[in-house]
Amino acid sequence: MEALKYSKQQLIPLYLCDRHRELPLNMLTRMMLDVSGSQTNELEGDKVNSYLKENDLSWIILQGEFNITRMPKVGETIEIETYALAYNRLFCYRHFNVYGEDGTKIGEAVVTFAWLDLNRRKMARLDSEIIDLYGAPFEKSIRRLPNPKKPNETSASVTEFDIYYSDIDINNHVNNTIYMEWAMNSLEIDFVNNHQLTYMNIKFDKEVLEDQQVKVYSDISREESKVVTAHNISTEGQTNAQIELRWTER
Amino acid sequence: MEALKYSKQQLIPLYLCDRHRELPLNMLTRMMLDVSGSQTNELEGDKVNSYLKENDLSWIILQGEFNITRMPKVGETIEIETYALAYNRLFCYRHFNVYGEDGTKIGEAVVTFAWLDLNRRKMARLDSEIIDLYGAPFEKSIRRLPNPKKPNETSASVTEFDIYYSDIDINNHVNNTIYMEWAMNSLEIDFVNNHQLTYMNIKFDKEVLEDQQVKVYSDISREESKVVTAHNISTEGQTNAQIELRWTER
């Protein structure tokens, strides 16, 4: 069985870009998830969505590991390609490739998805008949992405964020990609200005709700020309997400 | 002389929408300005941009008045139409229409633009030869949009906002549309949830720079079923922008 590849082109408008005329990673992630969502929507006349709806299930994202050669630029038409890589009883792994306008690969990611049972609020077993529609091979063993580096609790800086209307998405919780923005925004503007993102590993533990207050613990470590920032997104003393970012100097 | 109309279609993706599956006004504004920017880029082989560059000039926005019947929805293809309405020695007025997928008008706006002399950091006289390219009539008199309602200084709430990397645009200052987000985010989430925006009047006085701290003074007044919120965006005791929003209950 061969995984079904699905791809979409996307023009990068100025109004979604940063001061470097580049698309930020949080926005690229939104576009990538939009493409995988479209694959699902177009699969055998919406069969996946119908099944999920009937069974009160929802896709959730557990972790994502991103490698970035360069970010998309204003005016560039990128191509986002995705396919289900493999699945086991609980997890489905999805691969993404991002191609620049000249056809070279500028980024890729592996994202771990699962099904949430909306009534019981816990993970549900994947249904082979449904997942087979994506053409991904079943694997008995579980693939593990590496854990994101943790910030050093004693030396980490703490940044507090309030939650606003614009952070909440249709699932009535803070959108996943806002966590990435918080991690970035916990760093000095000068730092972000002078560095280019090359890697992100984000692991989601617990959703953030609209009446919570967020603390982001962040630290920076340097090894030669490579810089790693480690972030813990937390509410009420509990970890909601861990993020490791790797940077090079611009 | 007849004003050149220019329009573009835009599919509204889920990843730019709020929990009500609607495009927020700040994002719609970015799309509208993108369309007027495209008109300029395509006018007589980039003649306007060349002129601005040669003379160290830049378009700036002074004020915008928006009337909204309803916000664009996820999956809808809207059409944004724009044309230069009129100009005088200093100001150029531009009209925008936003049409829903069924062709009915769902919003419109008038925005006042001017030229900034980038060396002297003050407004410059518009050049008739350049502005005539847009086909807008010259008017001797100055059109004045109404001033936004001011918040009551003694009873207004104060919300502080830090400035983050993601707020800064290619002009190295806080993007205009972030002011709108601040105004919205200065209100309780429940309020924004339960109300629909029908009008915005935003007047820009002074840019916000990356090392500043922002205070937003906001108050709410109610007259029958209509609600008005008035916002003063300020840094270091000076007003950067004034915003009036009108709402109806959802």
Side-chain angles (χ1 to χ4, degrees), chain A residues 15 18-21 30 164-166 169-170 172 181 185 193 210, chain B residues 15 18-21 30 164-166 170 172 181 185 193 210:
Chain A
Y15 62 80
D18 64 16
R19 74 197 307 171
H20 293 296
R21 308 178 84 85
R30 290 186 180 208
Y164 301 113
Y165 179 78
S166 53
D169 68 18
I170 52 163
N172 291 322
E181 242 188 287
N185 286 342
N193 259 340
E210 70 181 53
Chain B
Y15 62 80
D18 64 15
R19 77 199 304 172
H20 293 296
R21 308 179 84 86
R30 290 187 180 207
Y164 300 114
Y165 178 78
S166 53
I170 52 162
N172 292 321
E181 241 188 287
N185 287 342
N193 258 341
E210 70 181 54

PDB file of all heavy atoms in Angstrom, chain A residues 15 18-21 30 164-166 169-170 172 181 185 193 210, chain B residues 15 18-21 30 164-166 170 172 181 185 193 210:
ATOM      1  N   TYR A  15       0.983  40.515   3.932  1.00  0.00           N
ATOM      2  CA  TYR A  15       0.305  40.804   5.199  1.00  0.00           C
ATOM      3  C   TYR A  15       0.380  39.669   6.214  1.00  0.00           C
ATOM      4  O   TYR A  15      -0.071  39.831   7.338  1.00  0.00           O
ATOM      5  CB  TYR A  15      -1.145  41.251   4.963  1.00  0.00           C
ATOM      6  CG  TYR A  15      -2.044  40.245   4.311  1.00  0.00           C
ATOM      7  CD1 TYR A  15      -2.619  39.207   5.037  1.00  0.00           C
ATOM      8  CD2 TYR A  15      -2.346  40.341   2.959  1.00  0.00           C
ATOM      9  CE1 TYR A  15      -3.450  38.298   4.431  1.00  0.00           C
ATOM     10  CE2 TYR A  15      -3.177  39.427   2.340  1.00  0.00           C
ATOM     11  CZ  TYR A  15      -3.727  38.401   3.086  1.00  0.00           C
ATOM     12  OH  TYR A  15      -4.554  37.493   2.487  1.00  0.00           O
ATOM     13  N   ASP A  18       6.687  38.744   8.363  1.00  0.00           N
ATOM     14  CA  ASP A  18       7.331  39.552   9.400  1.00  0.00           C
ATOM     15  C   ASP A  18       8.212  40.633   8.781  1.00  0.00           C
ATOM     16  O   ASP A  18       8.219  40.829   7.565  1.00  0.00           O
ATOM     17  CB  ASP A  18       8.108  38.638  10.361  1.00  0.00           C
ATOM     18  CG  ASP A  18       9.257  37.916   9.675  1.00  0.00           C
ATOM     19  OD1 ASP A  18       9.660  38.308   8.563  1.00  0.00           O
ATOM     20  OD2 ASP A  18       9.760  36.940  10.264  1.00  0.00           O
ATOM     21  N   ARG A  19       8.976  41.312   9.601  1.00  0.00           N
ATOM     22  CA  ARG A  19       9.785  42.429   9.122  1.00  0.00           C
ATOM     23  C   ARG A  19      10.876  41.986   8.157  1.00  0.00           C
ATOM     24  O   ARG A  19      11.408  42.802   7.412  1.00  0.00           O
ATOM     25  CB  ARG A  19      10.388  43.182  10.305  1.00  0.00           C
ATOM     26  CG  ARG A  19      11.517  42.434  10.949  1.00  0.00           C
ATOM     27  CD  ARG A  19      11.854  42.928  12.330  1.00  0.00           C
ATOM     28  NE  ARG A  19      12.108  44.349  12.412  1.00  0.00           N
ATOM     29  CZ  ARG A  19      12.254  44.983  13.587  1.00  0.00           C
ATOM     30  NH1 ARG A  19      12.149  44.304  14.726  1.00  0.00           N
ATOM     31  NH2 ARG A  19      12.506  46.250  13.631  1.00  0.00           N
ATOM     32  N   HIS A  20      11.221  40.712   8.185  1.00  0.00           N
ATOM     33  CA  HIS A  20      12.219  40.184   7.242  1.00  0.00           C
ATOM     34  C   HIS A  20      11.567  39.743   5.931  1.00  0.00           C
ATOM     35  O   HIS A  20      12.206  39.082   5.126  1.00  0.00           O
ATOM     36  CB  HIS A  20      12.959  38.995   7.872  1.00  0.00           C
ATOM     37  CG  HIS A  20      13.824  39.371   9.032  1.00  0.00           C
ATOM     38  ND1 HIS A  20      14.911  40.198   8.894  1.00  0.00           N
ATOM     39  CD2 HIS A  20      13.771  39.053  10.349  1.00  0.00           C
ATOM     40  CE1 HIS A  20      15.494  40.362  10.076  1.00  0.00           C
ATOM     41  NE2 HIS A  20      14.810  39.684  10.979  1.00  0.00           N
ATOM     42  N   ARG A  21      10.287  40.063   5.759  1.00  0.00           N
ATOM     43  CA  ARG A  21       9.516  39.656   4.578  1.00  0.00           C
ATOM     44  C   ARG A  21       9.424  38.137   4.473  1.00  0.00           C
ATOM     45  O   ARG A  21       9.387  37.577   3.378  1.00  0.00           O
ATOM     46  CB  ARG A  21      10.090  40.246   3.286  1.00  0.00           C
ATOM     47  CG  ARG A  21      10.288  41.765   3.356  1.00  0.00           C
ATOM     48  CD  ARG A  21      10.898  42.300   2.077  1.00  0.00           C
ATOM     49  NE  ARG A  21       9.882  42.555   1.058  1.00  0.00           N
ATOM     50  CZ  ARG A  21       9.180  43.679   0.965  1.00  0.00           C
ATOM     51  NH1 ARG A  21       9.386  44.669   1.812  1.00  0.00           N
ATOM     52  NH2 ARG A  21       8.273  43.834   0.033  1.00  0.00           N
ATOM     53  N   ARG A  30       0.054  26.773  10.381  1.00  0.00           N
ATOM     54  CA  ARG A  30      -1.393  26.851  10.096  1.00  0.00           C
ATOM     55  C   ARG A  30      -1.690  26.425   8.659  1.00  0.00           C
ATOM     56  O   ARG A  30      -2.663  25.719   8.392  1.00  0.00           O
ATOM     57  CB  ARG A  30      -1.907  28.280  10.319  1.00  0.00           C
ATOM     58  CG  ARG A  30      -1.924  28.672  11.781  1.00  0.00           C
ATOM     59  CD  ARG A  30      -2.572  30.032  11.997  1.00  0.00           C
ATOM     60  NE  ARG A  30      -2.574  30.359  13.416  1.00  0.00           N
ATOM     61  CZ  ARG A  30      -3.465  31.145  14.007  1.00  0.00           C
ATOM     62  NH1 ARG A  30      -4.418  31.717  13.301  1.00  0.00           N
ATOM     63  NH2 ARG A  30      -3.402  31.386  15.298  1.00  0.00           N
ATOM     64  N   TYR A 164      -6.371  36.252  25.053  1.00  0.00           N
ATOM     65  CA  TYR A 164      -7.287  37.181  24.430  1.00  0.00           C
ATOM     66  C   TYR A 164      -8.228  36.450  23.476  1.00  0.00           C
ATOM     67  O   TYR A 164      -7.951  35.335  23.051  1.00  0.00           O
ATOM     68  CB  TYR A 164      -6.501  38.258  23.675  1.00  0.00           C
ATOM     69  CG  TYR A 164      -5.575  39.034  24.572  1.00  0.00           C
ATOM     70  CD1 TYR A 164      -4.196  38.940  24.438  1.00  0.00           C
ATOM     71  CD2 TYR A 164      -6.087  39.836  25.587  1.00  0.00           C
ATOM     72  CE1 TYR A 164      -3.346  39.654  25.273  1.00  0.00           C
ATOM     73  CE2 TYR A 164      -5.251  40.555  26.427  1.00  0.00           C
ATOM     74  CZ  TYR A 164      -3.881  40.460  26.275  1.00  0.00           C
ATOM     75  OH  TYR A 164      -3.061  41.153  27.103  1.00  0.00           O
ATOM     76  N   TYR A 165      -9.280  37.151  23.125  1.00  0.00           N
ATOM     77  CA  TYR A 165     -10.253  36.619  22.173  1.00  0.00           C
ATOM     78  C   TYR A 165      -9.574  36.061  20.931  1.00  0.00           C
ATOM     79  O   TYR A 165      -9.916  34.978  20.446  1.00  0.00           O
ATOM     80  CB  TYR A 165     -11.235  37.728  21.780  1.00  0.00           C
ATOM     81  CG  TYR A 165     -12.250  37.265  20.782  1.00  0.00           C
ATOM     82  CD1 TYR A 165     -13.340  36.507  21.191  1.00  0.00           C
ATOM     83  CD2 TYR A 165     -12.102  37.551  19.429  1.00  0.00           C
ATOM     84  CE1 TYR A 165     -14.268  36.049  20.269  1.00  0.00           C
ATOM     85  CE2 TYR A 165     -13.025  37.095  18.500  1.00  0.00           C
ATOM     86  CZ  TYR A 165     -14.095  36.349  18.929  1.00  0.00           C
ATOM     87  OH  TYR A 165     -15.011  35.890  18.013  1.00  0.00           O
ATOM     88  N   SER A 166      -8.573  36.794  20.419  1.00  0.00           N
ATOM     89  CA  SER A 166      -7.930  36.406  19.150  1.00  0.00           C
ATOM     90  C   SER A 166      -7.074  35.142  19.273  1.00  0.00           C
ATOM     91  O   SER A 166      -6.624  34.600  18.261  1.00  0.00           O
ATOM     92  CB  SER A 166      -7.090  37.571  18.615  1.00  0.00           C
ATOM     93  OG  SER A 166      -6.188  38.037  19.603  1.00  0.00           O
ATOM     94  N   ASP A 169      -9.602  29.452  19.192  1.00  0.00           N
ATOM     95  CA  ASP A 169     -10.056  28.979  17.887  1.00  0.00           C
ATOM     96  C   ASP A 169     -11.407  28.268  17.983  1.00  0.00           C
ATOM     97  O   ASP A 169     -12.054  28.281  19.034  1.00  0.00           O
ATOM     98  CB  ASP A 169      -8.977  28.127  17.198  1.00  0.00           C
ATOM     99  CG  ASP A 169      -8.733  26.794  17.893  1.00  0.00           C
ATOM    100  OD1 ASP A 169      -9.574  26.342  18.688  1.00  0.00           O
ATOM    101  OD2 ASP A 169      -7.682  26.177  17.624  1.00  0.00           O
ATOM    102  N   ILE A 170     -11.838  27.653  16.890  1.00  0.00           N
ATOM    103  CA  ILE A 170     -13.186  27.058  16.845  1.00  0.00           C
ATOM    104  C   ILE A 170     -13.361  25.930  17.854  1.00  0.00           C
ATOM    105  O   ILE A 170     -14.475  25.518  18.127  1.00  0.00           O
ATOM    106  CB  ILE A 170     -13.575  26.525  15.441  1.00  0.00           C
ATOM    107  CG1 ILE A 170     -12.483  25.596  14.897  1.00  0.00           C
ATOM    108  CG2 ILE A 170     -13.842  27.647  14.474  1.00  0.00           C
ATOM    109  CD1 ILE A 170     -12.993  24.730  13.748  1.00  0.00           C
ATOM    110  N   ASN A 172     -12.681  26.269  20.899  1.00  0.00           N
ATOM    111  CA  ASN A 172     -12.882  26.967  22.175  1.00  0.00           C
ATOM    112  C   ASN A 172     -11.711  26.849  23.137  1.00  0.00           C
ATOM    113  O   ASN A 172     -11.882  26.932  24.358  1.00  0.00           O
ATOM    114  CB  ASN A 172     -14.171  26.505  22.878  1.00  0.00           C
ATOM    115  CG  ASN A 172     -15.376  26.974  22.106  1.00  0.00           C
ATOM    116  OD1 ASN A 172     -15.374  28.078  21.569  1.00  0.00           O
ATOM    117  ND2 ASN A 172     -16.394  26.139  22.025  1.00  0.00           N
ATOM    118  N   GLU A 181       3.941  31.214  19.063  1.00  0.00           N
ATOM    119  CA  GLU A 181       4.088  32.667  19.151  1.00  0.00           C
ATOM    120  C   GLU A 181       4.543  33.070  20.555  1.00  0.00           C
ATOM    121  O   GLU A 181       5.402  33.931  20.703  1.00  0.00           O
ATOM    122  CB  GLU A 181       2.749  33.345  18.840  1.00  0.00           C
ATOM    123  CG  GLU A 181       2.809  34.239  17.623  1.00  0.00           C
ATOM    124  CD  GLU A 181       1.541  35.048  17.439  1.00  0.00           C
ATOM    125  OE1 GLU A 181       0.527  34.442  17.040  1.00  0.00           O
ATOM    126  OE2 GLU A 181       1.558  36.270  17.692  1.00  0.00           O
ATOM    127  N   ASN A 185       7.809  35.040  21.421  1.00  0.00           N
ATOM    128  CA  ASN A 185       7.626  36.350  22.038  1.00  0.00           C
ATOM    129  C   ASN A 185       8.189  36.412  23.462  1.00  0.00           C
ATOM    130  O   ASN A 185       8.264  37.480  24.053  1.00  0.00           O
ATOM    131  CB  ASN A 185       6.143  36.736  22.014  1.00  0.00           C
ATOM    132  CG  ASN A 185       5.676  37.132  20.618  1.00  0.00           C
ATOM    133  OD1 ASN A 185       6.490  37.438  19.748  1.00  0.00           O
ATOM    134  ND2 ASN A 185       4.376  37.136  20.394  1.00  0.00           N
ATOM    135  N   ASN A 193      15.206  39.033  15.907  1.00  0.00           N
ATOM    136  CA  ASN A 193      15.659  39.788  14.728  1.00  0.00           C
ATOM    137  C   ASN A 193      16.922  39.251  14.114  1.00  0.00           C
ATOM    138  O   ASN A 193      17.090  39.256  12.908  1.00  0.00           O
ATOM    139  CB  ASN A 193      16.022  41.210  15.174  1.00  0.00           C
ATOM    140  CG  ASN A 193      14.927  42.162  14.833  1.00  0.00           C
ATOM    141  OD1 ASN A 193      14.100  41.877  13.983  1.00  0.00           O
ATOM    142  ND2 ASN A 193      14.922  43.289  15.501  1.00  0.00           N
ATOM    143  N   GLU A 210      -9.597  29.619  27.988  1.00  0.00           N
ATOM    144  CA  GLU A 210      -9.644  31.074  27.881  1.00  0.00           C
ATOM    145  C   GLU A 210      -9.553  31.832  29.201  1.00  0.00           C
ATOM    146  O   GLU A 210      -9.227  33.003  29.206  1.00  0.00           O
ATOM    147  CB  GLU A 210     -10.862  31.526  27.083  1.00  0.00           C
ATOM    148  CG  GLU A 210     -12.187  31.326  27.794  1.00  0.00           C
ATOM    149  CD  GLU A 210     -13.354  31.778  26.925  1.00  0.00           C
ATOM    150  OE1 GLU A 210     -13.459  31.323  25.781  1.00  0.00           O
ATOM    151  OE2 GLU A 210     -14.165  32.575  27.407  1.00  0.00           O
TER     152      GLU A 210
ATOM    153  N   TYR B  15      -7.776  28.899   8.987  1.00  0.00           N
ATOM    154  CA  TYR B  15      -6.675  29.250   9.897  1.00  0.00           C
ATOM    155  C   TYR B  15      -6.515  30.748  10.131  1.00  0.00           C
ATOM    156  O   TYR B  15      -5.689  31.145  10.942  1.00  0.00           O
ATOM    157  CB  TYR B  15      -5.358  28.607   9.439  1.00  0.00           C
ATOM    158  CG  TYR B  15      -4.847  29.044   8.080  1.00  0.00           C
ATOM    159  CD1 TYR B  15      -4.175  30.242   7.900  1.00  0.00           C
ATOM    160  CD2 TYR B  15      -5.034  28.231   6.964  1.00  0.00           C
ATOM    161  CE1 TYR B  15      -3.709  30.616   6.661  1.00  0.00           C
ATOM    162  CE2 TYR B  15      -4.558  28.594   5.727  1.00  0.00           C
ATOM    163  CZ  TYR B  15      -3.892  29.790   5.585  1.00  0.00           C
ATOM    164  OH  TYR B  15      -3.444  30.151   4.355  1.00  0.00           O
ATOM    165  N   ASP B  18     -11.779  33.277  13.479  1.00  0.00           N
ATOM    166  CA  ASP B  18     -11.941  33.206  14.933  1.00  0.00           C
ATOM    167  C   ASP B  18     -12.883  32.060  15.307  1.00  0.00           C
ATOM    168  O   ASP B  18     -13.289  31.263  14.466  1.00  0.00           O
ATOM    169  CB  ASP B  18     -12.423  34.556  15.491  1.00  0.00           C
ATOM    170  CG  ASP B  18     -13.800  34.936  14.969  1.00  0.00           C
ATOM    171  OD1 ASP B  18     -14.524  34.070  14.411  1.00  0.00           O
ATOM    172  OD2 ASP B  18     -14.178  36.113  15.107  1.00  0.00           O
ATOM    173  N   ARG B  19     -13.226  31.966  16.566  1.00  0.00           N
ATOM    174  CA  ARG B  19     -14.051  30.853  17.040  1.00  0.00           C
ATOM    175  C   ARG B  19     -15.442  30.839  16.426  1.00  0.00           C
ATOM    176  O   ARG B  19     -16.117  29.809  16.457  1.00  0.00           O
ATOM    177  CB  ARG B  19     -14.128  30.879  18.563  1.00  0.00           C
ATOM    178  CG  ARG B  19     -15.067  31.931  19.088  1.00  0.00           C
ATOM    179  CD  ARG B  19     -14.841  32.281  20.524  1.00  0.00           C
ATOM    180  NE  ARG B  19     -14.903  31.155  21.424  1.00  0.00           N
ATOM    181  CZ  ARG B  19     -14.579  31.247  22.712  1.00  0.00           C
ATOM    182  NH1 ARG B  19     -14.176  32.404  23.208  1.00  0.00           N
ATOM    183  NH2 ARG B  19     -14.648  30.224  23.496  1.00  0.00           N
ATOM    184  N   HIS B  20     -15.881  31.995  15.921  1.00  0.00           N
ATOM    185  CA  HIS B  20     -17.189  32.037  15.257  1.00  0.00           C
ATOM    186  C   HIS B  20     -17.073  31.671  13.779  1.00  0.00           C
ATOM    187  O   HIS B  20     -18.016  31.880  13.016  1.00  0.00           O
ATOM    188  CB  HIS B  20     -17.799  33.434  15.382  1.00  0.00           C
ATOM    189  CG  HIS B  20     -18.178  33.815  16.785  1.00  0.00           C
ATOM    190  ND1 HIS B  20     -19.149  33.149  17.477  1.00  0.00           N
ATOM    191  CD2 HIS B  20     -17.705  34.764  17.616  1.00  0.00           C
ATOM    192  CE1 HIS B  20     -19.273  33.681  18.679  1.00  0.00           C
ATOM    193  NE2 HIS B  20     -18.395  34.651  18.794  1.00  0.00           N
ATOM    194  N   ARG B  21     -15.912  31.176  13.368  1.00  0.00           N
ATOM    195  CA  ARG B  21     -15.627  30.841  11.968  1.00  0.00           C
ATOM    196  C   ARG B  21     -15.742  32.061  11.075  1.00  0.00           C
ATOM    197  O   ARG B  21     -16.144  31.963   9.911  1.00  0.00           O
ATOM    198  CB  ARG B  21     -16.555  29.720  11.455  1.00  0.00           C
ATOM    199  CG  ARG B  21     -16.586  28.489  12.347  1.00  0.00           C
ATOM    200  CD  ARG B  21     -17.530  27.426  11.820  1.00  0.00           C
ATOM    201  NE  ARG B  21     -16.889  26.596  10.810  1.00  0.00           N
ATOM    202  CZ  ARG B  21     -16.159  25.521  11.083  1.00  0.00           C
ATOM    203  NH1 ARG B  21     -15.974  25.129  12.320  1.00  0.00           N
ATOM    204  NH2 ARG B  21     -15.598  24.848  10.113  1.00  0.00           N
ATOM    205  N   ARG B  30      -6.071  43.834   6.625  1.00  0.00           N
ATOM    206  CA  ARG B  30      -4.813  43.475   5.954  1.00  0.00           C
ATOM    207  C   ARG B  30      -5.064  43.054   4.510  1.00  0.00           C
ATOM    208  O   ARG B  30      -4.327  43.418   3.604  1.00  0.00           O
ATOM    209  CB  ARG B  30      -4.117  42.325   6.702  1.00  0.00           C
ATOM    210  CG  ARG B  30      -3.563  42.748   8.046  1.00  0.00           C
ATOM    211  CD  ARG B  30      -2.736  41.634   8.684  1.00  0.00           C
ATOM    212  NE  ARG B  30      -2.219  42.094   9.963  1.00  0.00           N
ATOM    213  CZ  ARG B  30      -1.099  41.645  10.526  1.00  0.00           C
ATOM    214  NH1 ARG B  30      -0.388  40.713   9.932  1.00  0.00           N
ATOM    215  NH2 ARG B  30      -0.689  42.121  11.677  1.00  0.00           N
ATOM    216  N   TYR B 164       5.887  42.746  20.836  1.00  0.00           N
ATOM    217  CA  TYR B 164       6.624  41.537  20.507  1.00  0.00           C
ATOM    218  C   TYR B 164       7.100  41.573  19.063  1.00  0.00           C
ATOM    219  O   TYR B 164       6.588  42.332  18.243  1.00  0.00           O
ATOM    220  CB  TYR B 164       5.720  40.316  20.735  1.00  0.00           C
ATOM    221  CG  TYR B 164       5.244  40.209  22.161  1.00  0.00           C
ATOM    222  CD1 TYR B 164       3.904  40.353  22.483  1.00  0.00           C
ATOM    223  CD2 TYR B 164       6.160  40.007  23.193  1.00  0.00           C
ATOM    224  CE1 TYR B 164       3.477  40.270  23.800  1.00  0.00           C
ATOM    225  CE2 TYR B 164       5.741  39.921  24.505  1.00  0.00           C
ATOM    226  CZ  TYR B 164       4.399  40.051  24.803  1.00  0.00           C
ATOM    227  OH  TYR B 164       3.985  39.974  26.101  1.00  0.00           O
ATOM    228  N   TYR B 165       8.030  40.682  18.787  1.00  0.00           N
ATOM    229  CA  TYR B 165       8.565  40.549  17.429  1.00  0.00           C
ATOM    230  C   TYR B 165       7.441  40.439  16.395  1.00  0.00           C
ATOM    231  O   TYR B 165       7.490  41.082  15.343  1.00  0.00           O
ATOM    232  CB  TYR B 165       9.468  39.311  17.354  1.00  0.00           C
ATOM    233  CG  TYR B 165      10.024  39.088  15.980  1.00  0.00           C
ATOM    234  CD1 TYR B 165      11.098  39.854  15.513  1.00  0.00           C
ATOM    235  CD2 TYR B 165       9.460  38.147  15.122  1.00  0.00           C
ATOM    236  CE1 TYR B 165      11.590  39.678  14.240  1.00  0.00           C
ATOM    237  CE2 TYR B 165       9.944  37.972  13.848  1.00  0.00           C
ATOM    238  CZ  TYR B 165      11.006  38.732  13.408  1.00  0.00           C
ATOM    239  OH  TYR B 165      11.470  38.555  12.140  1.00  0.00           O
ATOM    240  N   SER B 166       6.416  39.657  16.730  1.00  0.00           N
ATOM    241  CA  SER B 166       5.349  39.402  15.757  1.00  0.00           C
ATOM    242  C   SER B 166       4.457  40.620  15.494  1.00  0.00           C
ATOM    243  O   SER B 166       3.636  40.600  14.573  1.00  0.00           O
ATOM    244  CB  SER B 166       4.489  38.215  16.215  1.00  0.00           C
ATOM    245  OG  SER B 166       4.026  38.425  17.535  1.00  0.00           O
ATOM    246  N   ILE B 170       7.354  45.287   8.114  1.00  0.00           N
ATOM    247  CA  ILE B 170       8.536  45.652   7.318  1.00  0.00           C
ATOM    248  C   ILE B 170       8.928  47.120   7.464  1.00  0.00           C
ATOM    249  O   ILE B 170      10.024  47.500   7.105  1.00  0.00           O
ATOM    250  CB  ILE B 170       8.357  45.349   5.804  1.00  0.00           C
ATOM    251  CG1 ILE B 170       7.054  45.955   5.267  1.00  0.00           C
ATOM    252  CG2 ILE B 170       8.391  43.858   5.536  1.00  0.00           C
ATOM    253  CD1 ILE B 170       7.046  46.072   3.760  1.00  0.00           C
ATOM    254  N   ASN B 172       9.375  48.445  10.270  1.00  0.00           N
ATOM    255  CA  ASN B 172      10.055  48.495  11.566  1.00  0.00           C
ATOM    256  C   ASN B 172       9.273  49.206  12.660  1.00  0.00           C
ATOM    257  O   ASN B 172       9.859  49.760  13.602  1.00  0.00           O
ATOM    258  CB  ASN B 172      11.455  49.117  11.443  1.00  0.00           C
ATOM    259  CG  ASN B 172      12.376  48.213  10.658  1.00  0.00           C
ATOM    260  OD1 ASN B 172      12.316  46.990  10.813  1.00  0.00           O
ATOM    261  ND2 ASN B 172      13.208  48.794   9.805  1.00  0.00           N
ATOM    262  N   GLU B 181      -6.276  44.956  17.067  1.00  0.00           N
ATOM    263  CA  GLU B 181      -6.256  43.774  17.937  1.00  0.00           C
ATOM    264  C   GLU B 181      -6.158  44.203  19.397  1.00  0.00           C
ATOM    265  O   GLU B 181      -6.829  43.625  20.256  1.00  0.00           O
ATOM    266  CB  GLU B 181      -5.042  42.911  17.574  1.00  0.00           C
ATOM    267  CG  GLU B 181      -5.417  41.533  17.092  1.00  0.00           C
ATOM    268  CD  GLU B 181      -4.223  40.623  16.926  1.00  0.00           C
ATOM    269  OE1 GLU B 181      -3.459  40.832  15.955  1.00  0.00           O
ATOM    270  OE2 GLU B 181      -4.038  39.715  17.766  1.00  0.00           O
ATOM    271  N   ASN B 185      -8.720  43.308  22.203  1.00  0.00           N
ATOM    272  CA  ASN B 185      -8.200  42.503  23.305  1.00  0.00           C
ATOM    273  C   ASN B 185      -8.237  43.235  24.643  1.00  0.00           C
ATOM    274  O   ASN B 185      -8.001  42.626  25.689  1.00  0.00           O
ATOM    275  CB  ASN B 185      -6.793  42.010  22.981  1.00  0.00           C
ATOM    276  CG  ASN B 185      -6.796  40.897  21.930  1.00  0.00           C
ATOM    277  OD1 ASN B 185      -7.820  40.275  21.688  1.00  0.00           O
ATOM    278  ND2 ASN B 185      -5.656  40.651  21.309  1.00  0.00           N
ATOM    279  N   ASN B 193     -17.117  37.797  22.476  1.00  0.00           N
ATOM    280  CA  ASN B 193     -17.865  36.599  22.100  1.00  0.00           C
ATOM    281  C   ASN B 193     -19.318  36.858  21.768  1.00  0.00           C
ATOM    282  O   ASN B 193     -19.881  36.243  20.878  1.00  0.00           O
ATOM    283  CB  ASN B 193     -17.920  35.651  23.310  1.00  0.00           C
ATOM    284  CG  ASN B 193     -16.934  34.545  23.143  1.00  0.00           C
ATOM    285  OD1 ASN B 193     -16.472  34.276  22.049  1.00  0.00           O
ATOM    286  ND2 ASN B 193     -16.606  33.921  24.252  1.00  0.00           N
ATOM    287  N   GLU B 210       9.251  49.570  18.612  1.00  0.00           N
ATOM    288  CA  GLU B 210       9.400  48.266  19.270  1.00  0.00           C
ATOM    289  C   GLU B 210       9.840  48.315  20.721  1.00  0.00           C
ATOM    290  O   GLU B 210       9.651  47.340  21.446  1.00  0.00           O
ATOM    291  CB  GLU B 210      10.326  47.355  18.453  1.00  0.00           C
ATOM    292  CG  GLU B 210      11.769  47.783  18.453  1.00  0.00           C
ATOM    293  CD  GLU B 210      12.633  46.842  17.598  1.00  0.00           C
ATOM    294  OE1 GLU B 210      12.294  46.646  16.423  1.00  0.00           O
ATOM    295  OE2 GLU B 210      13.632  46.331  18.102  1.00  0.00           O
TER     296      GLU B 210
END
